[in-house]
Amino acid sequence: MTDKYAVIGNPIAHSKSPQIHRMFAEQTGQDISYEAILAPLDGFAATVERLRKEGYKGCNVTVPFKFEAFKIADSIGFEVMDAVESGHEADAVNTLVFQKNKIGGYNTDGAGLVNDIAKNFKIPLKDKRILLIGAGGAAAGVLHPLLEASQSPLVIYNRTLRKAESLKKTISQHEKFRHFSIKPVEFGKLGNEQFDIVINATSAGLTDSEIPLPPNIFAPGALAYDMMYGRETPFMKFAREHGARAVDGLGMLVEQAAETFYIWCRVRPETAPVIAALRKQP
Ligand code: NDP
């Protein structure tokens, strides 16, 4: 019998997730269906309930429901999986698994980002100086896998300082991350520090907005990673013009989907051919 999955968001029409999961299913021979579902802004929990009643096995969750997904999950990362961190520290969840009487929640965004940088771009994160721009759901989801992989101090740079501070507070409450140096900095207040990896986890690219960055922010050979994909953002343009290697977040999207696919189907798909196929699309 076909196992039913979906991605829930608002908006959702742009989502590439159905295509990615169909490619994974074809590649691995898994019998699954995967569709995009638009939930009303006040109707996330009701949509999840409907899917459960209709026999779906799980779903992905995207903007703006990732924090709500955390709240409705009965358990977070209830099984320990290779390379998949629980969403607990992030308080944002992008993957739900429907079991008989409970909902399990995971966040695979962080593993997706770390895999894309380390495996696809072949850049080890250990000891790298990282600047994480943004303090929303995406930044929250990747923060702890980044710290675990880099084992080094990290700066959170956000338009609204309070949100960067609150992200630091949330993560610092966890024993595992207490000893890390995390510095929240407001837009316009970066000093002369240089970074090896600068990650744009804001949605500024959606409106072609510039991120205020000092021109010497990129260390020699730095990677500038924009989580947005599909077009060059002002951040990527700035990074290229200032000597960094600028890349988009398409690989992260495919890698996080692969982690989710593994949680659901217990099969690890090949990501490279899927990334290559998506890159060829207009
Ligand atoms: P949120 O709405 O939760 O957070 C938005 C963040 O962007 C906040 O830090 C906000 O700052 C900042 N921001 C918004 N507009 C601007 C602007 N004009 N200038 C500067 N900062 C701005 O969104 P998410 O965190 O969920 O998503 C962020 C981005 O990451 C999206 O573009 C999303 O598509 C992408 N993403 C990509 C993934 C992938 O797999 N490639 C996975 C997840 C997300 P403030 O706090 O001041 O409001």
Side-chain angles (χ1 to χ4, degrees), residues 202-262:
T202 74
S203 43
L206 287 175
T207 50
D208 277 333
S209 306
E210 310 256 351
I211 307 277
L213 288 169
N216 60 345
I217 191 84
F218 301 104
L223 178 75
Y225 193 106
D226 200 318
M227 285 196 195
M228 259 197 68
Y229 48 84
R231 68 196 159 105
E232 183 173 87
T233 60
F235 166 76
M236 289 168 72
K237 183 167 181 287
F238 177 90
R240 257 192 315 99
E241 287 170 356
H242 292 83
R245 177 181 181 190
V247 301
D248 73 3
L250 185 70
M252 171 180 173
L253 181 76
V254 175
E255 294 294 342
Q256 63 78 26
E259 295 298 328
T260 293
F261 194 85
Y262 178 71

Side-chain angles (χ1 to χ4, degrees), residues 89 170-180:
E89 292 87 352
T170 307
I171 197 128
S172 303
Q173 279 165 357
H174 296 271
E175 190 56 44
K176 209 158 111 189
F177 299 105
R178 205 160 283 162
H179 67 283
F180 281 97

Side-chain angles (χ1 to χ4, degrees), residues 53-75:
K53 283 197 182 119
E54 290 175 8
Y56 283 70
K57 298 275 186 178
C59 67
N60 276 133
V61 181
T62 187
V63 177
F65 300 124
K66 288 184 187 177
F67 291 106
E68 231 180 300
F70 174 81
K71 287 190 195 132
I72 68 161
D74 299 302
S75 60

